[in-house]
Amino acid sequence: MAYSFLSRFRIKAVREMDFIALAKQMEGLVEREPGTLAFKFFRLEEPQMFAVYESFVDEAADKAHMETDHGKPVIEQMIGCMDGSYHREMLYDLDPTT
């Protein structure tokens, strides 16, 4: 079973374009990380709201993703664009035996 989640967050209006550029950069960096199954940012219907869908082979791969030398500075900049924190929703397979 994959370790997957959706994180939702608000971006400061004045930082929206900065965030979008950073999100695109991060998508390109993550695709080469071992243990990553999916990683994609989305703009939500509500203004200034965004989400990221992340799926890894396990929790350790997610932790490794957060600690990469190439990703850490980008993550820090992205957090600086946020207006508040984020909400993470874990996603589980329909059939937990697969």
Side-chain angles (χ1 to χ4, degrees):
M1 182 166 41
Y3 185 79
S4 305
F5 52 89
L6 183 71
S7 297
R8 301 168 195 263
F9 45 88
R10 182 176 306 281
I11 297 299
K12 298 171 189 167
V14 297
R15 299 294 311 273
E16 221 172 289
M17 295 312 295
D18 296 333
F19 176 79
I20 290 168
L22 290 164
K24 289 177 180 179
Q25 181 182 355
M26 182 57 80
E27 286 177 343
L29 292 172
V30 173
E31 68 186 20
R32 66 178 187 221
E33 291 176 6
T36 302
L37 301 173
F39 189 91
K40 178 80 175 141
F41 284 92
F42 297 91
R43 180 186 294 272
L44 301 178
E45 187 173 5
E46 184 180 336
Q48 297 169 247
M49 289 297 295
F50 290 80
V52 60
Y53 168 66
E54 300 181 54
S55 185
F56 300 93
V57 294
D58 56 22
E59 188 174 1
D62 174 39
K63 288 183 180 182
H65 154 70
M66 297 296 288
E67 294 298 321
T68 62
D69 289 337
H70 62 265
K72 272 179 127 172
V74 180
I75 292 168
E76 289 173 13
Q77 291 177 65
M78 294 173 84
I79 290 170
C81 294
M82 288 184 183
D83 185 4
S85 190
Y86 62 90
H87 173 73
R88 180 183 276 191
E89 252 180 293
M90 296 305 298
L91 305 170
Y92 302 98
D93 292 340
L94 291 176
D95 182 357
T97 61
T98 59

